[in-house]
Amino acid sequence: MDDKLFLMIPGPTPVPERVLLAMARSPIGHRSSEFAQIMEEVCERLKWLHQTRGDVLILACSGTGAIEAAIVNACSPGDRVLVGANGKFGERWVDMAKAFGLQVEVIAAPYGQPLPTEPFRAALEADTNKAIRAVIITHNETSTGVTNDLETIASHIRAHGEALAIVDAVTSLGATTVPVDAWGLDFVGSGSQKAYMIPPGLAFLAVSERGWQACERSTMPRYYFDLRQYRKALKKFNTPFTTPVNLVFGLQASLQMLKNEGLDNLFARHARLRDTTRAAVRAMGLELFNPDDQSASAAITAVIPPPGIEVARLRSALKKNFDIIVADGQGEMSGQIFRLGHLGFVSDRDVLTATAALEGALRSLGYDRFTPGSGVAAALSALSG
Ligand SMILES: *Cc1c(COP(=O)(O)O)cnc(C)c1O
């Protein structure tokens, strides 16, 4: 049906009407005082969302750009970095760090499992020369539905004293708590098309005072992402290059909605959507790719299809019969898992609808090893519990 498409992919995510309408106006000059006023409000709210008193920068790029900005400002060619890799995004930061000539030491875990924290502690503790410049961690590994124990890893980074914490919080910021100051994080990147409830096109980067000092020391070539320019512009509630003003109009509206909801409610909603989705999927006899509830992502749930059911056919049944788009696995995980995004503008009703649709799609493909309604019943019971 036209205009009924519901996105359950981990970005882009659904956008509220209030945000769409806020963007539907003529652009204004990005150097105007009217726009600076909007930026001032937006920057204040971004700090609130990041639980920081430090700076949060707005960049015109996708989430990957925010992490690139962090790396080129924190590091110099030849620097040693530790990178956590337990999925496609962790692997992306390994590749990126290598592309910038860094000496990369990978701490890995199998797909579907959280990063072990002990190897980070051991490597940082053994580094008595303080040669490790930074540790790059993906907080929520979107490709597998795993949330890494950032709090513990960050405490090991703090104990080292010199290494910077660079965090990909692209699908955790706004879905689960990322207390930037309390955990002592130095660069925290995120993107507009995830829990922010606005379309793709903006990235956000929180920078600590230690992070700013590193920007001054770095000898990495950089221009568009030279964060010192952003810091200077931010003092006038501006950006060094043209701001995507209409996306900022949308951001202003979405941050207002998030503020109205409140941080505790926001995180509780995402936790509830996660628990409900997991209960429903289990009740249908399906296997969760990350079986461990402790490290289960509040933003996305990865599911192993039942034997004989092809992911491509399941996704197309969900789309054709129910106007719901779910994600395939990424890279070599394509066809091995499907992923249900439940971050951003997603309510209890949406997860109930998706559960019923998943039941219908599975049955239409011949999978009948569950009692019809059992997924929905489990979802309802999780929601009322
Ligand atoms: C979406 C995402 C990104 C950023 O991807 P872009 O396509 O550059 O926006 C980075 N990390 C994680 C964990 C993500 O989910």
Side-chain angles (χ1 to χ4, degrees):
M1 188 182 181
D2 283 353
D3 287 341
K4 260 296 184 189
L5 210 55
F6 183 65
L7 291 174
M8 286 196 87
I9 55 176
T13 60
V15 177
E17 203 166 55
R18 210 183 291 180
V19 172
L20 292 170
L21 289 171
M23 293 191 303
R25 55 176 284 208
S26 297
I28 57 175
H30 62 295
R31 304 285 183 223
S32 65
S33 60
E34 187 192 352
F35 188 64
Q37 255 174 31
I38 295 173
M39 285 288 276
E40 184 170 1
E41 178 191 319
V42 160
C43 290
E44 207 41 57
R45 296 263 156 91
L46 285 172
K47 290 181 184 207
W48 165 79
L49 187 62
H50 286 75
Q51 303 176 63
T52 184
R53 300 167 71 122
D55 295 317
V56 182
L57 308 175
I58 298 177
L59 309 172
C61 58
S62 77
T64 302
I67 305 301
E68 177 159 328
I71 288 176
V72 299
N73 284 276
C75 304
S76 301
D79 275 351
R80 226 182 119 194
V81 293
L82 301 182
V83 186
N86 57 336
K88 285 285 148 202
F89 288 98
E91 288 166 9
R92 181 179 295 181
W93 313 135
V94 170
D95 292 344
M96 185 184 270
K98 287 181 178 163
F100 284 108
L102 305 181
Q103 276 186 66
V104 179
E105 207 171 304
V106 181
I107 294 177
Y111 283 15
Q113 291 179 28
L115 290 170
T117 59
E118 187 52 26
F120 287 93
R121 191 199 59 75
L124 288 159
E125 203 173 280
D127 180 36
T128 47
N129 300 335
K130 307 294 174 194
I132 298 173
R133 166 65 58 211
V135 181
I136 306 173
I137 298 292
T138 303
H139 187 194
N140 185 70
E141 184 43 84
T142 312
S143 66
T144 60
V146 171
T147 300
N148 289 310
D149 184 358
L150 176 62
E151 183 177 9
T152 301
I153 296 170
S155 73
H156 299 323
I157 301 171
R158 285 279 76 80
H160 177 274
E162 293 289 328
L164 297 158
I166 299 179
V167 178
D168 167 355
V170 180
T171 47
S172 55
L173 219 289
T176 186
T177 190
V178 187
V180 171
D181 289 358
W183 289 358
L185 310 174
D186 299 300
F187 293 89
V188 178
S190 56
S192 57
Q193 81 277 27
K194 308 286 173 107
Y196 284 90
M197 315 193 293
I198 61 176
L202 293 180
F204 308 95
L205 187 61
V207 184
S208 73
E209 204 42 55
R210 281 156 38 94
W212 285 122
Q213 289 161 16
C215 292
E216 298 296 335
R217 278 196 312 268
S218 159
T219 61
M220 191 75 80
R222 60 209 134 129
Y223 191 88
Y224 185 73
F225 285 139
D226 186 337
L227 294 180
R228 293 168 297 185
Q229 304 188 69
Y230 289 81
R231 189 185 207 191
K232 219 167 109 196
L234 187 66
K235 293 198 195 330
K236 289 182 270 168
F237 300 107
N238 223 308
T239 58
F241 312 109
T242 309
T243 327
V245 289
N246 289 61
L247 282 170
V248 174
F249 297 155
L251 177 64
Q252 184 185 27
S254 75
L255 287 170
Q256 180 66 59
M257 290 175 73
L258 295 177
K259 182 92 186 177
N260 292 347
E261 185 173 9
L263 285 184
D264 291 346
N265 292 333
L266 180 63
F267 303 146
R269 171 166 59 86
H270 283 89
R272 190 169 68 243
L273 297 175
R274 169 198 62 204
D275 295 344
T276 303
T277 304
R278 290 173 74 82
V281 161
R282 281 180 167 136
M284 285 178 242
L286 306 185
E287 206 180 321
L288 293 162
F289 188 58
N290 173 13
D292 169 36
D293 291 329
Q294 200 65 35
S295 61
S297 163
I300 181 153
T301 300
V303 185
I304 301 172
I309 301 292
E310 276 177 44
V311 167
R313 292 188 62 209
L314 180 61
R315 291 179 64 229
S316 93
L318 282 167
K319 177 169 186 225
K320 192 161 152 281
N321 304 335
F322 301 109
D323 303 294
I324 294 177
I325 310 289
V326 305
D328 193 359
Q330 285 171 262
E332 65 261 39
M333 294 308 293
S334 171
Q336 309 291 310
I337 53 174
F338 61 97
R339 296 174 302 146
L340 303 161
H342 36 76
L343 73 165
F345 190 51
V346 179
S347 68
D348 295 357
R349 181 190 69 191
D350 296 326
V351 168
L352 276 179
T353 305
T355 301
L358 184 57
E359 286 200 12
L362 285 167
R363 292 191 83 83
S364 74
L365 297 174
Y367 174 70
D368 58 5
R369 274 178 289 171
F370 66 99
T371 312
S374 56
V376 173
L380 280 172
S381 139
L383 284 174
S384 62

